[in-house]
């Protein structure tokens, strides 16, 4: 639902990482998007900013980037590098829908102070039980 809320239409390209639970990719497909995967940073398990930048640049033609949204996964309680993702979102004009299912209570230092994982992007996905698969985004 969150991906639809940010305007994802059938056939839109949505980036996430392959190191996540299947529900992340399934949510993209359910919204009609096409999941595209960017490699992780091997030290954190989160999305690699250099790889994301390289991927976004490869999908940009005549000043237009074909990526409509990025779904960063906050993995094992460690938030994704949201400050850098936000900068890329401003540059390449994509929406951010955070997957914070595995990072309840995690905090991120921003220029506006500390923020909770899942509160920086336009929308977020959360779950309440660690063994329960995510069912809702919003």
């Amino acid at each position: 639902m969150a991906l639809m809320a940010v305007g994802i239409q059938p056939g839109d390209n949505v980036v996430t990482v392959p190191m996540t639970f299947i529900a992340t990719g399934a949510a993209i497909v359910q919204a009609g998007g096409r999941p595209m995967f960017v490699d992780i940073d091997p030290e954190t398990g989160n999305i690699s900013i250099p790889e994301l930048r390289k991927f976004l640049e490869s999908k940009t033609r005549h000043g237009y980037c074909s990526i409509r949204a990025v779904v960063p996964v906050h993995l094992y309680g460690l938030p994704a590098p949201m400050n850098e993702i936000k900068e890329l979102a401003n540059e390449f004009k994509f929406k951010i829908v955070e997957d914070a299912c595995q990072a309840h209570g995690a905090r991120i230092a921003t220029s506006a102070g500390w923020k909770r994982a899942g509160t920086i992007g336009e929308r977020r996905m959360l779950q309440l039980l660690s063994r329960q698969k995510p069912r809702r985004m919003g």
Side-chain angles (χ1 to χ4, degrees), residues 45 117 133 135:
K133 60 185 172 185
R135 296 191 179 113

Side-chain angles (χ1 to χ4, degrees), residues 3-136:
L3 288 163
M4 291 183 269
V6 297
I8 297 303
Q9 301 289 316
D12 284 347
N13 297 325
V14 180
V15 172
T16 192
V17 292
M19 189 167 162
T20 184
F21 186 66
I22 193 170
T24 307
I28 295 168
V29 171
Q30 184 180 13
R34 292 188 328 171
M36 305 185 97
F37 299 100
V38 169
D39 207 356
I40 61 166
D41 176 336
E43 291 191 21
T44 66
N46 287 317
I47 196 164
S48 165
I49 295 301
E51 291 296 320
L52 178 58
R53 173 172 282 287
K54 186 167 46 171
F55 187 78
L56 292 168
E57 288 171 349
S58 77
K59 297 297 180 186
T60 301
R61 301 284 183 271
H62 307 291
Y64 172 77
C65 182
S66 66
I67 303 302
R68 293 289 313 271
V70 171
V71 182
V73 177
H74 304 299
L75 196 60
Y76 308 131
L78 180 63
M82 292 306 299
N83 294 316
E84 294 88 342
I85 294 170
K86 228 12 196 178
E87 288 174 12
L88 290 173
N90 290 334
E91 181 180 344
F92 289 95
K93 310 293 185 234
F94 60 79
K95 302 292 185 184
I96 301 170
V97 178
E98 296 175 72
D99 180 342
C101 292
Q102 295 189 37
H104 292 269
R107 298 185 321 157
I108 302 165
T110 70
S111 59
W114 288 94
K115 297 202 174 210
R116 300 264 182 212
T119 64
I120 296 174
E122 283 79 10
R123 297 279 187 259
R124 69 192 161 276
M125 178 170 69
L126 295 168
Q127 71 179 12
L128 299 177
L129 299 173
S130 62
R131 66 183 183 279
Q132 178 184 16
K133 60 185 172 185
R135 296 191 179 113
R136 300 203 197 298

